[in-house]
């Protein structure tokens, strides 16, 4: 079957036998490309200051109920150098849109990690200046996560998603041109989102210079204008992940923690059986995690124990190769394709 024909209403809405087939084919595609390996990454959420006002996000600047924080370099360095779980090969440093935190905290932290560890480093910091992207890369980060959020431009504007749709996509292209490995993502099940709008995300993702993409089910954010909206449908989100895997077999696709909120008890595990090959352990220090509010304060936190149990239950194994090395090797292998070239990184 042609890769692009998976992105259809029939597969998106598939249930029962159709859905079983879709998920089995996706898992098979992941196995053909990655074997049983699943990448394990840590995330640290280091600032919840945000200049954006996304209607769906708990960290939006209009949310007065949050205590805003910036974490401390030494606390994070100690945690990531000396106390991280052994299975972690990469770390993702995430903030609201807060260029001050990028300068004062993220850059020094990346330099420290580059000196002291061999962790692959990715960042998820929103749109910044080209100069700041270069500084982050020079410090040692190689992967940039910038979700395009949703393909539909009118919905993007209506939901006050970050900046402007075209501008955010332009930044994704700019990052790839400057040698970053770029991973993106979209939200499935936003209030009012039609199936056609959801399907448009696959075309947009395929048109961007990406090495990976996530699908997050919409979770109504506490203290947001959408607090009372229904949770995104877990079946639809899982079908989107499977379609993404079949459309782009070589991409890295995470099982996001929101799967557990949309499908309590089984959402996450099911994500791993629909072609996901990356899991994230949240290492944000507990005293600040409460106020890094994407959706709800009682987020379902994926500890190493839960992650390893989910991986084992699916017959999968933790990858010993880091994501950063994987991207470097794949870029070498497909030299000349749209995938970004490997930036020079000194790994201690
Ligand atoms: N500020 C950075 C940026 O702009 O990329 C990164 C942090 S942002 C808070 C992380 C991501 O959370 C967003 O890109 C969005 O896709 C996701 N998110 C926020 N609110 C959400 C919600 N209610 N449901 C699902 N995903 C959500």
């Amino acid at each position: 079957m042609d890769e692009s024909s998976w992105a259809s209403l029939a597969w998106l809405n598939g249930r029962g036998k159709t859905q079983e087939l879709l998920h089995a084919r996706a898992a098979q595609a992941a196995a053909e490309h990655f074997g049983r390996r699943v990448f394990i990454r840590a995330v640290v959420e280091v600032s919840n200051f945000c200049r954006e006002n996304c209607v769906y996000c708990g960290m939006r600047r209009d949310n007065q109920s949050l205590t805003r924080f910036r974490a401390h370099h030494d606390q994070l360095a100690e945690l990531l150098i000396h106390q991280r779980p052994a299975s972690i090969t990469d770390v993702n440093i995430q903030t609201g849109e807060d260029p001050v935190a990028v300068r004062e905290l993220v850059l020094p932290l990346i330099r420290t990690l580059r000196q002291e560890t061999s962790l692959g480093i990715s960042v998820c910091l929103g749109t910044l200046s080209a100069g700041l992207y270069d500084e982050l890369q020079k410090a040692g980060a190689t992967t940039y996560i910038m979700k395009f959020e949703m393909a539909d431009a009118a919905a993007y504007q209506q939901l006050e998603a970050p900046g402007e749709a075209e501008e955010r996509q332009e930044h994704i292209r700019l990052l790839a041109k400057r040698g970053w490995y770029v991973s993106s993502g979209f939200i499935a099940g936003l209030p009012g989102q039609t199936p056609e709008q959801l399907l448009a995300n696959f075309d947009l993702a395929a048109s961007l210079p990406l090495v990976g993409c996530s699908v997050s089910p919409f979770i109504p954010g506490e203290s947001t204008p959408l607090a009372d909206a229904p949770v995104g449908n877990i079946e639809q989100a899982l079908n989107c992940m499977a379609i993404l895997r079949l459309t782009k077999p070589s991409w890295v696709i995470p099982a996001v923690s929101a799967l557990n909120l949309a499908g309590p008890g089984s959402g996450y595990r099911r994500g791993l059986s629909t072609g996901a090959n990356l899991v994230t352990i949240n290492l944000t220090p507990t005293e600040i995690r409460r106020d890094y509010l994407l959706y709800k304060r009682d987020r379902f936190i994926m500890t190493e124990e839960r992650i390893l149990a989910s991986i084992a239950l699916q017959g999968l194994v933790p990858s010993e190769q880091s994501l950063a090395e994987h991207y470097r090797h794949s870029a070498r292998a497909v030299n000349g394709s749209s995938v970004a070239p490997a930036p020079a990184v000194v790994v201690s």
Side-chain angles (χ1 to χ4, degrees), residues 59-193:
M59 287 197 317
R60 64 202 307 268
R61 66 170 184 268
D62 279 359
N63 184 357
Q64 309 285 326
S65 76
L66 277 192
T67 306
R68 304 282 171 170
F69 68 83
R70 292 190 185 109
H72 297 287
H73 169 277
D74 292 356
Q75 181 186 22
L76 295 168
E78 163 69 18
L79 181 75
L80 290 166
I81 296 167
H82 299 296
Q83 292 171 35
R84 68 176 186 271
S87 56
I88 286 169
T89 56
D90 296 77
V91 61
N92 178 37
I93 303 171
Q94 188 167 314
T95 62
E97 273 209 20
D98 180 11
V100 173
V102 175
R103 292 215 159 278
E104 293 182 357
L105 174 59
V106 178
L107 275 166
L109 181 63
I110 294 173
R111 289 188 193 110
T112 304
L113 293 176
R114 190 65 301 126
Q115 247 170 23
E116 303 290 333
T117 77
S118 59
L119 289 168
I121 302 175
S122 65
V123 290
C124 180
L125 311 166
T127 53
L128 302 169
S129 67
L132 213 37
Y133 292 146
D134 289 351
E135 279 188 66
L136 289 160
Q137 198 178 42
K138 202 164 150 235
T142 58
T143 304
Y144 209 105
I145 301 171
M146 176 141 359
K147 303 188 188 188
F148 62 76
E149 309 288 271
M150 66 209 78
D152 189 86
Y156 195 99
Q157 198 177 13
Q158 198 191 352
L159 292 172
E160 297 178 58
E164 288 181 15
E166 187 44 53
E167 176 202 23
R168 193 145 163 116
Q169 292 156 31
E170 206 35 64
H171 275 255
I172 291 175
R173 294 186 195 97
L174 174 76
L175 283 160
K177 267 195 210 123
R178 295 179 103 80
W180 287 88
Y181 304 115
V182 188
S183 185
S184 193
F186 62 89
I187 304 175
L190 281 161
Q193 189 178 48

Side-chain angles (χ1 to χ4, degrees), residues 10 43 52-53 106 148 161 184 208 237 240 253-254 266 271 275-276 283 293 295 306 333:
V43 63
E52 298 292 345
N53 210 29
V106 178
F148 62 76
S184 193
L208 293 169
C240 283
I253 299 177
S266 64
L283 290 189
L293 187 67
Y295 349 100
R306 282 179 180 152

